[in-house]
Each structure stands twice: as C-alpha cells, then as structure tokens.
Amino acid sequence: MLLSFVIVYWLISIGIGLYAAMRVHNTSDYAVAGRALPFHVVTATVFATWFGSETVLGIPATFLNEGLHGVVADPFGASLCLILVGLFFAKPLYRLNLMTIGDYYKARFGRTVELVTTVCIVVSYLGWVAAQIKALGLVFFVLSDGAVSQNLGMMLGAGSVLIYTLFGGMWSVAITDFIQMIVIVIGLLYIGWDVGGKAGGVGHVIAHAQAAGKFQFWPEFKLDAIVMFVGTWITMMLGSIPQQDVFQRVQSSATEKIAVWASVLGGSLYFVFAFIPMFLAYCAVLIAPEIVSKYINADTQLILPKLVLEKAPLFAQIMFFGALLSAIKSCASATLLAPSVTFSENLLRPILKAWKPHLTDKFFLRSMQAVVLVFTACVTYIAMHSKLSIYGLVENAYKVTLVAAFVPLVFGVYWKRATTQGAVMSMMLGLATWIPLEFFNPDWTQVWLPHFVGFLVSLVSFIVFSLSPQLVRTPPIPQPPSGHIPHHEGERPLAHVSPAVSGHHGGV
C-alpha cells in the first residue's frame, strides 16, 4: 500500500514537471524561467533546492553521532549562505541581467577567470548531485524491503528526475519545487507530531537530548578547536555562495525585490525545518533503541526511515516518504540543471560558436539539454561507486568553490580596486595550496583543514596581487543595462536580455 502511494505521487510529480515544460521556448526560459517567477515560487525553489537528502537523512545521522557541533556546516552554514546571498549579492547580480554566475566572472575579470571558476563550479556539483542520487537509491531499497537494490534504485530515481528536468529546465524545477515544498512542510509537521507524541512530547525529547549533551554547539576556547569550527562552518556558508543554483534563483525572479527577500525567507525556512528530521531521529533513541543500536555503527542514515516504517501508522509513513522524496527530487533536479547550464553557457557555447558561427538559440537549447543528459549519467555513476555518506558528499562539494571562486566574487562586487591579476593569482594559489594538502593530508590538517588554508591563501593573494603593479588588463566594471538591449539570434551581449525578460513578466 505504501509503495503504491509513493509510485502514484512520483508519477504525478513527473507529469507536473512535463506540463511546466510547455513554457520553455528559448534558452532564457530553460535556464532562468524567463526571469518571471513570483515571490512565493522563488521562495519555494530556494527552500526546496537546499532541503535535500542530506537534510532528511544525512544531518539527522550526523546529529545522532556528534550532536549540534557535528552539523555546523549544514544547516547552520547552509542557511546562512542563502541569507547572505539575499542580503549582499542578489541585488547587484540581478541588476546585471546575466544567465550564469560564470558570466559575471567573465564580465568582471575576463575569459581566463571565467574558465577556471566555471570548471570549479561544475566539479563542485558532482558530489552534491551524487548525494541526491544515492539517497534515491536508499529510499527505493527501504520501500521495497530490499527487492530493489540501491544501485537499481539510483538508476530509476535518476532517470525519473531527468525526464522533466531535461525538457522543462528551470520552469519545471520551479513549479515542481513549489508543490514539493508544500508536501515537505506538511509531511514533516505531521510526522513530527505523530512520532514526537510517541516519544513523550517535544519537551521530553529536547530535555533528553540536552541531558545527553547533543546541544553542545560552540567549540572549546582553544585555538585548535576554534580553527576547526570556523573552517567547517565556512565550507558551506561561503563556499556555496558562488554557485549556479543560487544564482539561477536570483536571476529567475520577476523583480529585484523578489530576488533579495525570497532568498532570505527561503534560507530562514530551511534553517527552521532542518531541525525536524533531527528531532525525529532523536525520537528513535527513546521509542526504538533497538533500531538505533542496530544501525548506529552500520548505516546511521537508515535509522530515520526504519523508525517510520516500524513505528508509525500508514498515513504517517505516506507523509514522511512523500516529504522525503519531494526533498530529494527538488534538490536533484535543481542540481542537475545548474551545472549543466553553466557548462553549456560558459564552456560549450564558445566552442559551438567557433564551429557554427551562426548559432541559433534553438540549436543551443538542444545542446544544453544534451549536457543535462550526460551530466546525469556521470553523477549516477559517481553515486553508485562512492563510499562517502550523503552528508560527506554534500559537505565536500563546496571545498573547491570556497578555495577558488568565493574571494573573486566578493571582491569583484564590493572592491573597485579588484583586478584580473588578483583574481587569477587568488584562484591559482588557493587551488595549488588546497589540492596537495587534501591529497597528502599531513597531521596538522586535522585542525587546519586543507580547504580553510587554501581559502586564507586565496584571500591574501587576491589583495596582494590586486595592489601590485598590474601585468594584465582588467575589464571595466560591468554596469547594469539601461533600457532594452536588443538580442540578436546566436549573439549574446554582456547583459543578456531575452524577449521573455524585456517584455511582460508572465505569472505562474
């Protein structure tokens, strides 16, 4: 019965995604939904994109083992990332009217910086998307009671998410995210009420967790502990700011005000609702200690789904797995689309232009869809062969962008003296520091994390080489377009304005 309900819900959500695909007529529609999304939809897609498998399965598992101190990167760092994007980056980036975050690096620092940052951004998504695919395999395995292997579940899950993402792009992602956010919120609130009641109520569960030391968050007042804490926190808080999925939601907004406050509200909602799965997982300690003892040292990620299957009534099971699948699907579709659009726009387009000078928008749209297909196959393979946990895959995804992309973005937006030379040296020296430390892993990097050291080198290098005598030219600081900029087919100006952008902003 449970599996039947889940299959029906799955098919309905795919149908909705395909229906939304009817709105796609050009690359702007596919990449940024024609910059026409209203406040409630942007808020939902910001929330739903980040509320993925790591939130429902990875974070609770880490919380059971390490307490709040172990989840400093997510949800604390992740939610602050979205709020910081809304407060400090949404407005200046939205005004430039660009299609990808890579376009900003090109406009501010030139082609070389665009290439390096685009490669880093695309690589960073491999772990994040693989985590969602891995979680889909886990859900199918649990729901089928082992009849569907995790690898087969990964392939089925990836294929179904690919269907509507491939055809509908950002329109399909946004509409399905809106619906899936509703399912996530209602489902988690209901299952929290049901399971929490069995555990003695919210107050009793919180008191028990506090007595067990699970609410210890801040580090000891020692240099090593503080450095470790900060290095972990900024991995997602800062490293996920220069990401295409965040940029897409900003650019997809119908107005500048929506871009700002939908990011802030979406991040705030994410922070609040991320605590419900942690609460549910700790309820297992009180009402199903046998489940906890069975999986705590084997696969902690199975504790929460097993708790629901064995201790909750059918309706609660339906609500939980509906919310879980919604969380995974919304995150998976968004993270499949974002790197594919970035790769297509910033790496593939120049190659296609050289081969086919009169590149039409329709041909490029089909090329973008082909990249989505190839990227899906790659991350599914990674998910099937990776030994990392869901939380580990997501946390590791942002190291490369923290080291290479964050500093140039911040200084490019807020420091007029930022230069191309500073950006290039910042990225190169940051990566050259981080990669060997990550590979050789000397003892001192257990505290001074390799990506934290790489970030510090990137920061210092940017300032030093921007203030040094300049050996390379820095492009003029990009300015917001004034009025309508005509768009010629096959030719994209700096501030790309599609017919859907320059005309009436349609509603949803």
Side-chain angles (χ1 to χ4, degrees):
M1 183 68 73
L2 172 62
L3 189 58
S4 299
F5 274 110
V6 169
I7 291 173
V8 169
Y9 168 70
W10 193 268
L11 293 174
I12 290 173
S13 61
I14 291 175
I16 292 172
L18 291 175
Y19 175 76
M22 296 172 63
R23 290 176 173 266
V24 176
H25 304 293
N26 53 49
T27 53
S28 177
D29 290 338
Y30 192 79
V32 292
R35 287 169 65 94
L37 298 182
F39 179 79
H40 60 285
V41 176
V42 179
T43 301
T45 193
V46 168
F47 169 86
T49 297
W50 282 67
F51 206 98
S53 61
E54 72 285 356
T55 314
V56 184
L57 299 176
I59 292 176
T62 306
F63 174 73
L64 284 180
N65 285 317
E66 305 175 36
L68 283 183
H69 188 78
V71 295
V72 59
D74 192 4
F76 290 94
S79 55
L80 275 173
C81 160
L82 297 172
I83 294 171
L84 291 174
V85 167
L87 294 178
F88 298 104
F89 296 97
K91 184 179 291 185
L93 292 178
Y94 184 85
R95 289 178 176 178
L96 294 178
N97 197 10
L98 306 172
M99 185 175 290
T100 71
I101 188 72
D103 288 345
Y104 175 77
Y105 290 103
K106 180 181 180 181
R108 185 66 175 88
F109 298 116
R111 177 65 176 161
T112 300
V113 177
E114 175 197 20
L115 285 173
V116 176
T117 52
T118 298
V119 170
C120 291
I121 289 169
V122 171
V123 168
S124 73
Y125 276 97
L126 295 175
W128 193 6
V129 188
Q132 313 313 314
I133 304 302
K134 200 178 188 75
L136 287 173
L138 181 66
V139 172
F140 279 113
F141 175 77
V142 172
L143 285 176
S144 66
D145 198 23
V148 176
S149 69
Q150 293 199 36
N151 281 349
L152 178 58
M154 291 180 204
M155 289 187 285
L156 291 173
S160 58
V161 172
L162 171 66
I163 292 173
Y164 64 84
T165 307
L166 181 67
F167 293 105
M170 190 60 193
W171 269 116
S172 291
V173 169
I175 301 304
T176 53
D177 278 359
F178 177 68
I179 295 170
Q180 286 164 173
M181 176 186 171
I182 296 172
V183 175
I184 291 170
V185 170
I186 295 175
L188 287 180
L189 288 176
Y190 179 82
I191 194 69
W193 170 78
D194 183 87
V195 174
K198 289 182 172 64
V202 175
H204 179 68
V205 175
I206 292 176
H208 195 283
Q210 186 172 16
K214 296 299 181 183
F215 291 158
Q216 177 61 39
F217 178 71
W218 298 106
E220 296 180 68
F221 195 67
K222 297 178 180 178
L223 179 61
D224 287 356
I226 294 172
V227 168
M228 182 75 173
F229 181 83
V230 173
T232 303
W233 197 340
I234 67 172
T235 303
M236 290 187 70
M237 182 174 67
L238 304 183
S240 49
I241 287 177
Q243 289 285 10
Q244 176 62 17
D245 62 283
V246 179
F247 184 85
Q248 267 183 309
R249 276 130 196 84
V250 168
Q251 294 298 319
S252 299
S253 304
T255 67
E256 179 183 295
K257 187 175 181 180
I258 290 173
V260 172
W261 294 111
S263 298
V264 173
L265 180 58
S268 302
L269 289 173
Y270 174 77
F271 180 76
V272 171
F273 278 90
F275 282 91
I276 297 180
M278 284 188 273
F279 169 79
L280 292 173
Y282 198 80
C283 286
V285 175
L286 300 176
I287 63 178
E290 70 282 1
I291 294 178
V292 176
S293 61
K294 181 178 179 180
Y295 293 105
I296 192 70
N297 295 319
D299 191 350
T300 320
Q301 296 166 158
L302 285 172
I303 291 177
L304 186 50
K306 287 292 185 180
L307 170 71
V308 174
L309 283 175
E310 295 184 18
K311 301 296 182 180
L314 177 62
F315 184 71
Q317 293 176 18
I318 293 171
M319 296 300 290
F320 172 78
F321 282 101
L324 175 58
L325 286 172
S326 293
I328 299 172
K329 287 178 60 193
S330 59
C331 190
S333 59
T335 50
L336 281 176
L337 180 65
S340 302
V341 169
T342 303
F343 180 89
S344 302
E345 180 71 11
N346 300 108
L347 297 180
L348 183 61
R349 180 188 280 270
I351 297 173
L352 293 177
K353 283 284 293 181
W355 170 61
K356 192 172 182 174
H358 300 290
L359 179 66
T360 64
D361 188 75
K362 184 176 181 180
F363 182 86
F364 186 61
L365 174 60
R366 297 292 176 258
S367 302
M368 196 177 285
Q369 290 171 321
V371 172
V372 173
L373 178 62
V374 173
F375 192 80
T376 304
C378 291
V379 295
T380 303
Y381 178 84
I382 292 172
M384 293 170 64
H385 292 85
S386 174
K387 302 301 181 184
L388 288 174
S389 67
I390 292 170
Y391 191 87
L393 281 168
V394 172
E395 187 178 10
N396 285 324
Y398 303 103
K399 292 179 179 179
V400 62
T401 45
L402 173 67
V403 170
F406 174 72
V407 171
L409 175 64
V410 174
F411 281 97
V413 172
Y414 284 104
W415 193 33
K416 291 184 178 180
R417 297 186 65 179
T419 66
T420 297
Q421 178 175 284
V424 171
M425 297 307 297
S426 169
M427 291 186 300
M428 295 304 181
L429 292 178
L431 289 170
T433 302
W434 166 61
I435 292 174
L437 290 177
E438 192 78 36
F439 183 76
F440 292 109
N441 196 27
D443 291 340
W444 59 271
T445 59
Q446 300 303 313
V447 175
W448 289 83
L449 302 174
H451 59 276
F452 184 48
V453 177
F455 164 71
L456 294 177
V457 171
S458 172
L459 177 63
V460 173
S461 301
F462 193 100
I463 297 172
V464 169
F465 284 96
S466 287
L467 296 177
S468 301
Q470 299 299 297
L471 302 178
V472 295
R473 175 183 173 273
T474 300
I477 297 176
Q479 300 296 323
S482 57
H484 172 67
I485 298 178
H487 170 58
H488 302 288
E489 187 174 50
E491 195 68 37
R492 183 178 56 81
L494 168 62
H496 172 57
V497 182
S498 73
V501 175
S502 59
H504 173 69
H505 293 303
V508 177

